[in-house]
Structure formats: structure tokens, C-alpha cells
Amino acid sequence: MKQEAIQLRIIDALSDVAESDWNPLLASDSGPFLKYAFLNALEKTGCVGGNTGWQVAHLIVEDSNSRLLGAMPLYLKQHSYGEFVFDWAWAQAYEQNGMPYYPKALSAIPFTPVRGPRLLVSPHADKGVIQEILVSGLKTLVTQNGLSSAHVLFPENDELGVLKQQGFMLRDSVQFHWHNEGYQNFEQYLANLTMKRRKNIRRERAAVESHQISYRHIPGEIAVASDWNFFYRCYENTYIEHRSSPYLTEDCIQLLGSSMPENFHLIIATQNERPIASSLLVVDKPNATAYGRYWGAIEHIPCLHFELAYYQAIEYCIKEGIQVFEGGAQGEHKMARGFIPTTLQSAHWIEDAGFANAVKRFLDREHEGMAAYVDELEQHIPLKSSKVLS
């Protein structure tokens, strides 16, 4: 394959390429969030694009016959919402120096703090060549369009080396993941916790049980429109209670439920046969991984959040043989429920040399502080046998 026969271009809608061309770029362990159906649903229902501050600008690499060889999910951002890697202080520093920080280039899955490939390459192409073209193209896009920076959030570990070679700086994040140690049931999982945590979980579950709550586990394949409608009411209410607006629309939830049902699992809590709360898991059964994404309630029951978002989800994972349950960004309270800290990294390229040096000094200090933070967390893991993963 001759490099001069390859062209890089930007598309402003995923629908500019065919699903049958996009999905073959994904390895078997790429997960559900990079599927054409997922990213396209966000665009088609207006969750990104338009006036959302997420301008679609995916990078694609093609050969002379317009065959797709590689791609990078990419957005031009007018803010830093929905990213889970916080750079508000960087934006403020730019503003204080009379320079615009936005728009910036962002390669990430919108609203989804999950590790996965960001430099997608066809199995029929030279991986090293395509990855280099994508990263170089990203930097060129920043420079030629007067953007402040480029950010690649939660890429795979092997992609971090490629990005670092091209001048990207790495930044640590900590998430909390639950790991299945071959548990046969929830009681066996509890037995692996310290006595204090075990008693606390039993107390929380008993508090919910006293309200006569029952649960419906609904695989995405059999969920109907009314199930998704109720879930959305709960999801939307969570944002309303925090005086915010939901990232996803009900049309998006309904479309995702119909276009990739095999990747979703709903849990609905009922009281006296009336639904009052719901949580949503995104499931990657081939890779034995589940992701806790959203939860919400239309009626307040103490400890119901823990039951629905964690304990019912863990019971599901044990039953289905799921090995890893990712609880999402932040939340030290998850450790009390048996989740352990996991370090992920993101990559950042700052166009202005002066700011790049300042950010590098900040990241060096932050890296040391994050390492100390993880060491401290490790001392409080409530499992009898556990380890910190990276």
C-alpha cells in the first residue's frame, strides 16, 4: 500500500460513510460505544451537532478507490461538558490571557467515560501508517483552523504510545470498577468484603426492602417503547433535580433501544406494581463487560440508588458471568460497594508552546498527586483480596 494513494478528509456526519464500512474498523474488543448505531443515534437525534457545542468532524482515511482504511471519532467542542476529563482551569487560563480556548478538537465518545480505541484501522491496512496519518491529521486540523488544542480521551493503552510520540501529553484519571472473582451468588460476593462493608450493604438493602420494592430485569431485546419511555422519565428527572438538562433525548434512547438492543439491559424498580425508578446497563457480553450508565427515580426511597444502580447490577453480572462492571467516572462511594480504583489515561496536545509547557508542568505535578491518591485509596479497598488495576 502506497502512502501517496491515501487521503485524509473530514466528514460532518457519520452517515456520510456506510455502516458496513465503519463497523469492520472495530476490533472484537472495541465495545459497543464505537458502533455505528451508537454514534449515529447521537447525531441523528440531535444529541450532538447543531447548537449542542459538539460539532461533528470525524476524520477518515481512504485509499484511491474511496475504501475506508481508518477513522477517528472527532468533535469540535465549544465547551467542556460531557467529557469527564476536566480542563475548565485550562480554559480559564486561556481567557485570562486574552486567548480563546474554544473551539477545541476532541476525540471521545460523547457523554461516555469509557476506554476504547480512538484510532480505528481496517484489518486490511497498515496499522502504524494509518494511526500516524490520523494523529498528524488531527494536529494539522488544530493548527490550520486556529484551534487551541486536541484531546483524545480514554484511548487504548497501545494508542497512548502513538500519541505520545507525536507530542501529546498524558493525563491520569481514576475510575472505580467491580471485578467478578468467580462469584456464584451475591452472598458469596458479600463474603469477600470486610465485615463493616458487608453489614452496611445488608443494612442498605434491608432499608429498601422495607418499602416493598420489587425489580424487573428487562433485556434490551424484549424491552418495549413504554419501558424506554419510563426509563427516560427517570433519567430526565435526575438532571432536573440537579437543575441541569439531560444530554440524551428520548428519541435517542428509543433509537438506541431498537437499533442495538443486544447491548442494553434495563432494571425497573416497582412499588405496589407501580414503576418508580430505573437504571440502564450497557452490556458487552462477548467481552464480559457491563457499564453502568444512567439511573433515575420519580419517587424518593432511601438507598434505592445503591440497590438499583449497584446491587441489582452486580447480581445481574454474577448471573450472566460478566467479569467487569464499570461504574463510570468518579465516585469514591463506589469503593464501599466493592469497586476498586482503576487508572486510565487521556492524551492532550496544546498548540501554543507557552501554554503547552505550563500544562506539562501541571500534568507532572498532577501525576504525582494522582499516584499518591491511588495509593491512599488502595489502603481502603474493602475486599479481602484485591488489587489496583491500570
Side-chain angles (χ1 to χ4, degrees):
M1 182 174 59
K2 296 181 180 180
Q3 187 166 341
E4 59 267 23
I6 297 174
Q7 64 173 350
L8 175 74
R9 66 185 180 97
I10 299 171
I11 58 174
D12 60 8
L14 191 59
S15 57
D16 286 354
V17 300
E19 183 171 7
S20 58
D21 292 330
W22 179 273
N23 283 344
L25 300 179
L26 308 180
S28 60
D29 59 353
S30 294
F33 298 105
L34 280 157
K35 284 184 176 181
Y36 187 97
F38 187 86
L39 294 175
N40 189 53
L42 298 179
E43 297 179 21
K44 191 173 181 180
T45 59
C47 299
V48 297
N51 61 358
T52 64
W54 293 78
Q55 180 183 342
V56 179
H58 304 311
L59 291 182
I60 64 170
V61 181
E62 300 169 313
D63 67 12
S64 57
N65 295 314
S66 298
R67 289 179 297 192
L68 194 59
L69 301 178
M72 175 189 290
L74 189 66
Y75 305 87
L76 305 184
K77 289 293 303 297
Q78 297 289 348
H79 52 67
S80 293
Y81 293 107
E83 299 177 19
F84 305 96
V85 175
F86 304 106
D87 60 354
W88 297 105
W90 302 0
Q92 185 179 31
Y94 264 73
E95 182 179 343
Q96 290 173 346
N97 283 272
M99 299 172 62
Y101 187 68
Y102 305 109
K104 63 179 184 179
L106 180 82
S107 180
I109 309 303
F111 328 121
T112 307
V114 170
R115 180 159 51 196
R118 303 293 179 256
L119 307 176
L120 312 181
V121 181
S122 165
H124 307 295
D126 185 312
K127 184 175 181 179
V129 169
I130 301 303
Q131 288 185 330
E132 183 178 351
I133 289 173
L134 287 168
V135 179
S136 296
L138 174 59
K139 292 164 62 178
T140 299
L141 181 150
V142 169
T143 300
Q144 291 185 347
N145 290 276
L147 308 183
S148 68
S149 50
H151 310 263
V152 183
L153 307 188
F154 310 116
E156 294 287 9
N157 287 337
D158 62 349
E159 295 173 332
L160 289 168
V162 178
L163 292 159
K164 191 173 181 180
Q165 286 178 357
Q166 293 217 31
F168 280 71
M169 299 172 285
L170 304 187
R171 187 178 192 185
D172 297 330
S173 297
V174 174
Q175 295 185 2
F176 298 89
H177 299 170
W178 177 87
H179 294 264
N180 191 341
E181 303 292 342
Y183 304 124
Q184 297 301 305
N185 50 54
F186 194 84
E187 280 300 313
Q188 195 176 69
Y189 151 66
L190 285 182
N192 197 36
L193 296 174
T194 60
M195 181 181 295
K196 177 182 177 181
R197 296 308 181 189
R198 186 164 59 244
K199 289 176 63 177
N200 186 63
I201 289 173
R202 286 184 173 142
R203 183 169 57 251
E204 289 176 344
R205 301 199 82 180
V208 176
E209 188 176 354
S210 69
H211 290 272
Q212 288 78 51
I213 307 296
S214 60
Y215 307 94
R216 293 173 56 213
H217 282 252
I218 309 172
E221 294 92 336
I222 65 172
V224 297
S226 58
D227 296 323
W228 293 115
N229 174 265
F230 176 72
F231 165 75
Y232 191 80
R233 283 180 61 200
C234 297
Y235 161 75
E236 183 180 43
N237 195 53
T238 298
Y239 284 84
I240 292 172
E241 288 180 349
H242 289 87
R243 299 182 180 180
S244 184
S245 299
Y247 290 126
L248 305 182
T249 64
E250 184 175 352
D251 285 345
C252 182
I253 293 295
Q254 294 280 2
L255 179 56
L256 288 171
S258 63
S259 62
M260 46 190 297
E262 71 280 2
N263 290 120
F264 293 101
H265 184 83
L266 274 172
I267 309 173
I268 295 179
T270 62
Q271 185 180 50
N272 300 322
E273 299 185 356
R274 184 175 67 90
I276 62 170
S278 182
S279 67
L280 177 65
L281 300 180
V282 178
V283 182
D284 180 8
K285 285 192 174 180
N287 294 297
T289 304
Y291 306 89
R293 294 309 303 128
Y294 303 108
W295 114 281
I298 59 174
E299 192 165 306
H300 176 70
I301 301 291
C303 298
L304 182 57
H305 169 249
F306 301 132
E307 178 66 39
L308 201 56
Y310 301 127
Y311 307 143
Q312 287 293 318
I314 288 172
E315 287 194 340
Y316 166 81
C317 289
I318 292 172
K319 179 182 177 182
E320 297 295 328
I322 299 295
Q323 296 302 303
V324 180
F325 172 35
E326 297 194 10
Q330 304 175 300
E332 292 180 13
H333 65 276
K334 297 185 181 100
M335 287 186 62
R337 279 108 199 147
F339 290 70
I340 65 175
T342 302
T343 301
L344 291 78
Q345 290 185 304
S346 297
H348 308 267
W349 188 76
I350 309 297
E351 200 278 334
D352 182 88
F355 269 97
N357 288 331
V359 168
K360 183 181 185 306
R361 292 193 296 271
F362 167 81
L363 292 178
D364 287 343
R365 294 192 303 271
E366 186 183 60
H367 176 75
E368 294 179 1
M370 194 68 72
Y373 171 63
V374 172
D375 286 343
E376 173 66 20
L377 290 175
E378 190 175 8
Q379 305 304 313
H380 301 284
I381 291 175
L383 300 177
K384 293 178 181 177
S385 59
S386 62
K387 61 181 179 178
V388 175
L389 302 181
S390 60

